[in-house]
Amino acid sequence: MSKPFSPLFPARAGLLILLAVAAPAGFQAPAEAQPASSALLAEFRQDPFDFYFGLRTAEALQCGQAVLTGEGGFAADERQRALAVLAAIYLNQGHEPEARAAVSQILMESPSGELPNREMMPKGLVNLFYGMRDSLMLAHDIQVLPDIRTLAI
């Protein structure tokens, strides 16, 4: 009988090494964000994409948590844009469950809706959003007419 495989490092040491190598320098856990100030929420409401493209992820996560909990009085379109930015940040940080939760919030409000500012979003988020939307629509037998745009010359 052969003896079972024994790793060179204990399991915990291997995990710590993996985390040290794989974790990006600016990584922050999503659940430990501080509450956003009203001034920060107002700035985020005006243009959440500025936070995403300006690499202001910590501030965007603070504001995103406020959006998820219903604080700040965001209008429906502002909320969808903010949730899309929040999902993009979570996905970029490797937090797919949190990204899915943000996308789910968008789809709860509009199951057949479109991703806000799709052309500005990373491909991974576009794929996640439309995969979840299409699955939801198939499960609930929701049909959307195709959006075909042609140009006659």
Side-chain angles (χ1 to χ4, degrees):
M1 222 182 224
S2 66
K3 109 181 187 188
F5 174 75
S6 115
L8 294 175
F9 297 106
R12 289 184 186 159
L15 180 61
L16 289 175
I17 292 170
L18 177 64
L19 287 175
V21 171
F27 175 77
Q28 291 185 346
E32 299 179 12
Q34 297 294 324
S37 67
S38 57
L40 186 61
L41 276 173
E43 184 182 355
F44 186 72
R45 176 183 287 126
Q46 286 181 351
D47 190 7
F49 295 101
D50 186 43
F51 282 69
Y52 177 71
F53 292 111
L55 302 177
R56 298 171 62 188
T57 56
E59 294 170 315
L61 290 175
Q62 289 175 348
C63 295
Q65 291 302 316
V67 172
L68 284 173
T69 58
E71 298 172 25
F74 282 75
D77 62 326
E78 293 172 337
R79 182 173 162 76
Q80 287 191 352
R81 290 183 311 133
L83 288 169
V85 167
L86 185 62
I89 290 170
Y90 279 144
L91 201 57
N92 287 343
Q93 291 184 342
H95 298 289
E96 188 173 339
E98 289 86 350
R100 286 181 169 277
V103 169
S104 294
Q105 291 286 321
I106 295 171
L107 293 173
M108 282 176 45
E109 295 172 9
S110 177
S112 60
E114 297 291 325
L115 181 63
N117 296 77
R118 173 185 175 173
E119 65 281 354
M120 297 173 66
M121 293 286 109
K123 183 180 179 183
L125 178 60
V126 172
N127 292 340
L128 175 67
F129 179 87
Y130 287 103
M132 288 178 65
R133 185 193 77 167
D134 293 348
S135 295
L136 178 69
M137 290 173 61
L138 283 172
H140 295 286
D141 198 27
I142 300 170
Q143 295 182 2
V144 175
L145 296 173
D147 184 19
I148 300 173
R149 299 174 190 202
T150 59
L151 177 64
I153 298 178

